[in-house]
Amino acid sequence: MKHVMKSAIVVLIMISGCQSGEGNQGDDTLVISWPQDIGPLDPHGYGENQMFAQNLVYEGLVQHDDEGEVQPHLAESWEVSDDEKTYTFFLQEDVRFSDGSDFNADIVKKNFDKVLDESEEHEWLELTNQIIDTEVIDPYIFEMTMEEPYYPVLEELALVRPFRISGDASFSEDQDFQEPIGTGPWALSERQQDEEAIFERNEHYWGEDPEMEELVVRVIPDGDARVMAFENEEIDMIYGNGLISLDAYDHLEQNDKYQSGTSPPQSTRTLALNTNRGATEDALVRRAIIHAFDTQTFIEDMLHNIEEQATSLFPDDMPYQPDTLDDYNYNPSQAEQLLEEAGWKRADDGHIREKDGEPLQLNFVYDANDQIQTMLAEFMQSDLRDIGIDIEIIGMENQAYLNAEKSGDFHIIYHETWGAEYDPHAMLSSMRVPSHADYQAQQGLDRKKALDEQIGEVLVETDEQKREELYHDIITTLHEEAIYVPVSMTSNLALYHNDLEGVRYSPIIYEFNLDDVRRK
C-alpha cells in the first residue's frame, strides 16, 4: 500500500509539471504559501496567529543569532542586579514602529503589562509567572523584577511569543489587540482571510531592509496543490516543514529548474501516548507501541533519509540531557511479548488482540494539512496492525487538532518539541499546563503532581549541580514511562526557482529567514 501511495504522488507531480504557469508576481515580490491563514497577528496571541508571520512583524528586546545565542536587539544592553532578580534594559533610541510612532520604555512596559494581565493564557512560560514588577526608569530604560532568580530569562524574552513589542496603535481603548504594528522588517499591508496576506517592507525599519519589496503568503491547504502552484510558477518558494510530501520534495529537487536546501535539525518529531485513556494507560502497552514502530524504515522509505533518527524526546546535545537513557529499539517480538504480559491476547482469527472481550483499538490524531504527519499515521497504522493493534487514524483541520491537544481526546497524538531555544526549560514548563498535549498525555501518571513540582523547582534552582540532578530525574522519568515515541529530528525544507538566491535557514523552527532572498 505504501508503494502505491508513493507512485500516485509522483504521477500527480509529473502531470502538474506538464502544465504552463503564470509567472511570478514581479522582480521585487516573493511569493510563498502556507497551509492556513496567518491569523490576525496579535503579537501576544496563539492558535490562529501563525508564528512565522508574527516573527516577520514583531521584535523582542533580545534575539537569537544564527548560532542560537542570545544577542541584544531592541535593547542594546542590560544589567542584572546582584540578587539576579532585577534586569535593567537600555533600549535603542533610533527605532520606530511601522506606523512611524516611537519605540520607547513606555510601550515596552505596556506590552509586558498586557502579557502579565493575561498571565493565565501565558502561564506555560515560567517567565510570565516570575515577573512581579515592571518599571519605566527613563524614556529609554526599562526594568523588570522577578520573584526568584530565573536562569532562562533572556532565552525566553527572545522567543517569538509572548514578549514581542507592538506599537500603541495595536491596542484598542480597552487595551485589546486592534491591528498589527511592529518594529520588524515587514509590515502587513493587506490580508484576505483564507486567501492571501501581503507584507511590505517596513519603511521605518531601523535595521537592514529586506531585499524584496513585497512578500505574499498564499493560503494553499493541500500539499499536492502547493506542488502544482510551485511548478506553475504561481509561488516562488516552498519553505517550511510538512508542506509537501518528501516524495514530492525528492522528485522536485532532482529537477535542474529548482534549488533546494534543508535547515539544521531543529526539533524532535514524536508521538505522545495518553497515560490517562484506555489501553495506553498501561505502560506495557505504551512500551509495546514504541518497540513496534520501525522508525528507521520510516525515515529511509518515507523521509528519504532527510531527517535523522531520534532516540528520545530531546536530542543528545541538549543541555541537561542524561546520557544514561536506554534506546527503545525496534523489536516487534518484544512488543508482542509486552502485549501478552499486559493481557492482550490474539483473537481467534489471529488479527486484532482482545482483553476481557474488548478489541485493542486506539485512535491516532494528527493535523491533516501536514503531509508528513499523514504519512506517519498511515505507516504506524500498518506497523501496529502487525502486532494486533487496530489504529483508527483521524486527520483533523488544524484548530480541531489543537482542541484535541487541550482536551486529551486521543490515545496517540502527533507532537513535536520546540527546539533548542525552548528545550528543556520552556518545553518542560508547558507540561504543567492542562491546555498542552503533554499535560494531557502525562495526566495518568501516579507521580504527575510530583513531576510538575520538580519542574517548578528546577526552573528557579540556582545551584548548577542540583539543577542538573533535577533535570536528570525529570527527563529520565518521562523516558522510562514510555510517554513519547521518538521518530526523527525535524528540519525546515526549501524548494525555490533558479532565479532566487540568498535563502538562509534559521536554527529556530518558527523563524523563517526571508529578508535576504532576492532575484539574481
Side-chain angles (χ1 to χ4, degrees), residues 137-425:
I137 304 301
D138 87 1
Y140 292 98
I141 300 178
F142 169 74
E143 193 168 89
M144 69 178 197
T145 301
M146 293 172 293
E147 185 171 0
E148 302 283 349
Y150 183 60
Y151 83 92
V153 56
L154 295 175
E155 290 283 349
E156 296 190 357
L157 287 178
L159 300 179
V160 173
R161 56 194 187 195
F163 287 105
R164 294 288 173 103
I165 310 300
S166 60
D168 198 53
S170 289
F171 296 83
S172 70
E173 290 183 2
D174 297 329
Q175 304 305 302
D176 294 326
F177 171 70
Q178 185 166 258
E179 61 177 314
I181 304 293
T183 61
W186 298 96
L188 182 66
S189 64
E190 183 179 344
R191 174 187 170 220
Q192 299 178 46
Q193 189 167 356
D194 297 325
E195 293 185 17
E196 70 176 20
I198 301 175
F199 297 84
E200 295 179 344
R201 281 181 192 158
N202 174 5
E203 61 178 309
H204 300 289
Y205 189 48
W206 58 283
E208 190 170 341
D209 286 336
E211 293 282 349
M212 294 288 198
E213 291 183 357
E214 191 175 69
L215 170 65
V216 177
V217 182
R218 294 213 170 120
V219 179
I220 304 178
D222 180 69
D224 294 334
R226 181 174 294 106
V227 170
M228 293 180 70
F230 177 72
E231 291 205 297
N232 290 338
E233 300 183 358
E234 295 164 18
I235 58 176
D236 293 307
M237 182 164 66
I238 297 171
Y239 191 104
N241 186 280
L243 300 183
I244 60 174
S245 74
L246 291 182
D247 286 324
Y249 178 83
D250 193 44
H251 176 78
L252 291 172
E253 76 167 346
Q254 295 177 37
N255 190 324
D256 59 11
K257 293 167 58 180
Y258 312 125
Q259 300 291 317
S260 63
T262 61
S263 72
Q266 294 171 317
S267 68
T268 306
R269 190 185 300 283
T270 183
L271 310 173
L273 307 178
N274 196 335
T275 65
N276 197 40
R277 184 181 172 89
T280 49
E281 291 179 12
D282 190 335
L284 294 173
V285 174
R286 299 196 299 271
R287 292 186 185 114
I289 290 171
I290 302 176
H291 282 299
F293 183 65
D294 188 355
T295 311
Q296 188 58 48
T297 298
F298 175 75
I299 291 172
E300 291 173 0
D301 289 358
M302 309 306 288
L303 301 186
H304 301 268
N305 285 317
I306 288 174
E307 297 187 356
E308 301 172 7
Q309 184 172 357
T311 57
S312 63
L313 179 62
F314 298 115
D316 291 342
D317 60 355
M318 182 194 72
Y320 306 111
Q321 173 74 350
D323 58 6
T324 53
L325 304 181
D326 294 328
D327 293 351
Y328 287 98
N329 57 315
Y330 172 58
N331 189 334
S333 296
Q334 187 175 357
E336 296 227 38
Q337 184 178 339
L338 288 165
L339 291 178
E340 290 286 330
E341 190 178 340
W344 292 97
K345 308 295 183 183
R346 289 278 188 181
D348 293 339
D349 61 6
H351 295 303
I352 302 306
R353 292 174 178 272
E354 294 180 349
K355 183 177 179 180
D356 300 329
E358 296 293 326
L360 183 45
Q361 294 178 321
L362 308 174
N363 65 39
F364 182 127
V365 172
Y366 64 98
D367 184 341
N369 285 333
D370 189 296
Q371 302 296 301
I372 294 178
Q373 291 185 37
T374 302
M375 289 193 305
L376 182 52
E378 293 170 349
F379 196 95
M380 171 161 265
Q381 183 184 47
S382 175
D383 272 359
L384 294 195
R385 194 167 188 82
D386 289 344
I387 63 165
I389 300 178
D390 184 27
I391 298 290
E392 178 190 11
I393 57 175
I394 305 175
M396 298 179 168
E397 292 301 313
N398 182 258
Q399 189 57 53
Y401 164 76
L402 296 175
N403 291 340
E405 284 190 322
K406 296 176 182 176
S407 68
D409 189 15
F410 60 85
H411 293 106
I412 306 170
I413 193 166
Y414 179 83
H415 200 42
E416 289 180 10
T417 63
W418 299 333
E421 287 65 36
Y422 293 80
D423 301 336
H425 50 91

Side-chain angles (χ1 to χ4, degrees), residues 62-83:
V62 294
Q63 71 169 10
H64 291 107
D65 63 18
D66 288 346
E67 282 69 48
E69 300 296 324
V70 174
Q71 302 293 342
H73 201 58
L74 293 178
E76 58 186 9
S77 63
W78 55 87
E79 293 177 350
V80 184
S81 63
D82 291 341
D83 64 3

